[in-house]
Amino acid sequence: MTNIYKLVFAGPVGAGKTTAIQSLSDIEVVRTEANVSDDVKTLKKTTTVAMDYGLMKLASGDQVRLYGTPGQKRFDFMWDILTENALGLVLMLRGNSPDPVADLRTYVTEFRDFIDRTSLVVGITHSDQGGWQTRQMVSRELVAMGLPPTAMYTDARSRAHMATLVKALIYGIDPFNNAEE
């Protein structure tokens, strides 16, 4: 019997969510991109407005459905919809953001109930353009927030990098998290 799993990718605009899903997906990614009409245009020309969807086919025959959330707060109504029945959250942050720790706080706060029920891993992209200490600062903030400091530099364009990030998320899932006493 084929098992089907679901993972959600979230984070600010330009952090690499769509690219990460494209790197991992074994099918053509379904994207809901629209031209940017606000200050996001300084980062990119289009942005996700509903979701990205990809599918990883595992050697066992199991499947992992990959959902990317929109990065902008005005589309946050999709966040709850996309996290329903998911195993965990891959939070993508831009290492070259003016304040990646503030971005971390924003998204952990928004997804906190979901994270507390599942698992979280943080992937930091654009690390070549950010400070070398970004991962350490993010990890320290995760600990301060009562979360495991699972944060790593990653290249969203690399299937190997993204597979490592997903493995870290899966290894962090507590099998007894929702067990009844």
Side-chain angles (χ1 to χ4, degrees), residues 50-101:
M51 70 173 185
D52 294 317
Y53 171 77
L55 179 71
M56 274 177 52
K57 298 175 183 175
L58 305 179
S60 65
D62 292 347
Q63 298 178 355
V64 181
R65 295 179 178 172
L66 311 165
Y67 290 88
T69 66
Q72 293 174 291
K73 176 81 172 135
R74 65 184 169 146
F75 300 116
D76 67 352
F77 63 92
M78 288 299 299
W79 298 352
D80 287 336
I81 294 167
L82 294 175
T83 56
E84 190 172 320
N85 299 317
L87 290 177
L89 182 70
V90 178
L91 178 57
M92 305 290 290
L93 298 176
R94 290 185 5 238
N96 63 349
S97 165
D99 192 348
V101 173

Side-chain angles (χ1 to χ4, degrees), residues 24-144:
L24 290 167
S25 185
D26 294 315
I27 64 168
E28 183 72 27
V29 173
V30 176
R31 298 169 36 167
T32 59
E33 296 281 315
N35 289 329
V36 176
S37 61
D38 56 14
D39 60 339
V40 171
K41 62 184 159 197
T42 61
L43 293 172
K44 54 195 259 183
K45 294 179 182 177
T46 63
T47 191
T48 301
V49 294
M51 70 173 185
D52 294 317
Y53 171 77
L55 179 71
M56 274 177 52
K57 298 175 183 175
L58 305 179
S60 65
D62 292 347
Q63 298 178 355
V64 181
R65 295 179 178 172
L66 311 165
Y67 290 88
T69 66
Q72 293 174 291
K73 176 81 172 135
R74 65 184 169 146
F75 300 116
D76 67 352
F77 63 92
M78 288 299 299
W79 298 352
D80 287 336
I81 294 167
L82 294 175
T83 56
E84 190 172 320
N85 299 317
L87 290 177
L89 182 70
V90 178
L91 178 57
M92 305 290 290
L93 298 176
R94 290 185 5 238
N96 63 349
S97 165
D99 192 348
V101 173
D103 293 339
L104 171 75
R105 286 186 202 115
T106 296
Y107 284 88
V108 167
T109 300
E110 291 290 337
F111 287 92
R112 188 63 196 236
D113 290 340
F114 174 66
I115 292 167
D116 287 345
R117 291 189 318 270
T118 61
S119 186
L120 168 71
V121 67
V122 179
I124 303 167
T125 61
H126 305 284
S127 59
D128 57 327
Q129 301 164 12
W132 62 268
Q133 72 285 7
T134 302
R135 188 181 68 78
Q136 290 80 6
M137 292 185 319
V138 166
S139 294
R140 279 195 295 272
E141 186 62 25
L142 284 166
V143 170

